[in-house]
């Protein structure tokens, strides 16, 4: 048999969509029957529920739905499990609490997107933020714990991606001059292949980062035009900054999962790291319980 559990993921994003669904018990029951039938047909191991932008007043309805789903699933597939994915904010913590009380087998804390393309630059999953904002991995884990989400059912979700922003300076957390874009290591293998590439590591947030000039006060020197004197020292006036996670930055976050007694860790998304060394070895070390201390 396969060596990994396989769950089908149900997603529902958007306040209006969620209000229509979680305010309609008949629609929920019809959907429960259909997705359990699909689990049986495909011989899957369970169902993952990923609901985002849920109005806060519907959290009890969401919890009741998770409980009914799990009861119905276990009646037809005895060893199947229901897991949920919940965000790293206050609503996500409330949803995790409701899902845990309803019997969810695993709760995947989406410990990323603390910063995103529309935010100021920095780590997507900072351990401790350095920009004065309070929400980071430590804050989310503390909140989940304070609300009673069982640590032995909690999985810490971490990113295998980063974000690149146009910025006004080359320093760490230099302000952006525009929106950012997702930055996936797999799509930037050429960056890592450059022998001169040497990102900086910031240990407080635990993130890799680097900047490259994107505009100059004068044209950069070029040897391609004979007889034209090159500018001796062109002055950068704009930069692109990249913040991303690597085995070096993920290791302290996995140690945090161990220190909190969590059920494990997960990643968004498998494949983003393909072609680069160290990631698979890091996860194998974590799974074996041999993650080195700092």
């Amino acid at each position: 048999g396969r060596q990994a559990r396989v769950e089908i993921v149900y997603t529902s994003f958007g306040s209006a969509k969620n209000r229509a669904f979680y305010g309609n018990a008949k629609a929920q029951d019809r959907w429960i029957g259909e997705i359990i039938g699909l689990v049986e047909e495909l011989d899957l191991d369970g169902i993952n529920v990923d609901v985002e932008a849920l109005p806060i007043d519907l959290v009890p309805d969401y919890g009741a739905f998770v409980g009914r789903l799990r009861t119905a699933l276990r009646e037809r597939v005895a060893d199947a499990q229901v897991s949920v994915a919940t965000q790293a904010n206050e609503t996500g913590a409330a949803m995790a609490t409701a899902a845990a009380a309803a019997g969810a087998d695993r709760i995947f804390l989406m410990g990323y997107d603390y910063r995103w393309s529309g935010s100021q630059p920095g780590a997507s999953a900072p351990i401790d933020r350095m920009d004065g904002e309070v929400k980071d991995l430590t804050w989310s884990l503390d909140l989940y714990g304070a609300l009673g989400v069982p640590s032995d059912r909690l999985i810490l979700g971490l990113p295998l991606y980063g974000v690149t922003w146009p910025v006004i300076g080359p320093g760490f957390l230099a302000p952006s001059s525009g929106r950012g874009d997702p930055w996936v290591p797999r799509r930037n293998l050429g960056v890592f292949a450059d022998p001169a590439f040497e990102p900086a590591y910031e240990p407080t947030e635990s993130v890799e980062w680097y900047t490259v000039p994107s505009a100059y006060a004068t044209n950069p020197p070029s040897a391609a035009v004979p007889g034209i004197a090159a500018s001796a020292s062109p002055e950068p006036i704009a930069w692109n900054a990249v913040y991303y996670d690597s085995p070096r930055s993920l290791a302290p976050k996995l140690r945090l999962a161990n220190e909190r007694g969590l059920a494990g860790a997960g990643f968004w998304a498998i494949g983003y790291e393909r072609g680069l060394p160290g990631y698979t070895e890091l996860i194998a070390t974590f799974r074996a319980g041999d993650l080195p201390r700092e």
Side-chain angles (χ1 to χ4, degrees):
R2 55 179 175 251
Q3 299 301 305
R5 294 184 56 82
V6 178
E7 297 183 355
I8 190 169
V9 179
Y10 150 64
T11 62
S12 183
F13 301 163
S15 177
K17 180 179 180 180
N18 286 326
R19 185 168 293 283
F21 183 73
Y22 287 98
N24 188 332
K26 286 186 177 179
Q28 295 172 39
D29 290 338
R30 182 170 60 251
W31 180 90
I32 286 172
E34 290 177 358
I35 197 166
I36 292 175
L38 189 58
V39 169
E40 291 178 312
E41 178 185 341
L42 299 178
D43 190 27
L44 303 177
D45 300 303
I47 301 167
N48 175 267
V49 177
D50 182 0
V51 176
E52 300 179 28
L54 180 75
I56 191 68
D57 60 294
L58 292 177
V59 168
D61 301 274
Y62 162 83
F65 165 79
V66 170
R68 295 204 316 279
L69 173 62
R70 186 178 185 277
T71 297
L73 177 63
R74 301 275 289 192
E75 285 175 352
R76 288 166 59 175
V77 185
D79 58 348
Q81 292 189 356
V82 169
S83 62
V84 299
T86 51
Q87 293 178 294
N89 55 23
E90 294 91 343
T91 300
M95 292 169 64
T97 305
D105 297 282
R106 289 289 184 270
I107 294 140
F108 186 95
L109 165 57
M110 294 186 282
Y112 36 78
D113 287 349
Y114 293 91
R115 296 190 181 92
W116 66 99
S117 58
S119 77
Q120 286 299 310
S124 298
I127 290 182
D128 292 303
R129 288 180 72 145
M130 298 173 62
D131 59 1
E133 298 292 333
V134 299
K135 294 180 181 179
D136 50 33
L137 287 173
T138 302
W139 178 89
S140 296
L141 287 169
D142 286 347
L143 177 59
Y144 272 55
L147 291 178
V149 178
S151 59
D152 60 356
R153 282 191 269 161
L154 188 60
I155 295 172
L156 179 60
L158 297 170
L160 294 177
Y161 65 88
V163 183
T164 177
W165 288 269
V167 293
I168 65 172
F172 185 70
L173 300 187
S176 69
S177 58
R179 286 186 64 87
D181 290 297
W183 194 90
V184 176
R186 171 66 180 173
R187 301 171 192 160
N188 292 277
L189 295 181
V191 172
F192 297 95
D194 183 350
F197 176 63
E198 196 169 336
Y201 173 64
E202 203 303 303
T204 300
E205 293 207 354
S206 196
V207 66
E208 305 280 358
W209 70 284
Y210 69 95
T211 57
V212 292
S214 60
Y216 294 84
T218 59
N219 290 329
S222 173
V225 185
I228 302 297
S231 174
S233 181
E235 186 68 26
I237 57 172
W239 294 259
N240 286 327
V242 178
Y243 294 79
Y244 70 97
D245 272 289
S246 71
R248 175 166 61 172
S249 72
L250 289 169
K253 300 169 189 181
L254 293 175
R255 282 194 290 269
L256 186 61
N258 280 339
E259 291 165 3
R260 298 295 184 109
L262 304 189
F267 298 91
W268 183 263
I270 300 301
Y272 282 2
E273 84 298 352
R274 190 176 298 122
L276 293 171
Y279 291 88
T280 302
E281 293 81 0
L282 175 68
I283 302 312
T285 301
F286 172 70
R287 188 174 187 273
D290 295 329
L291 200 66
R293 296 184 178 275
E294 289 185 82

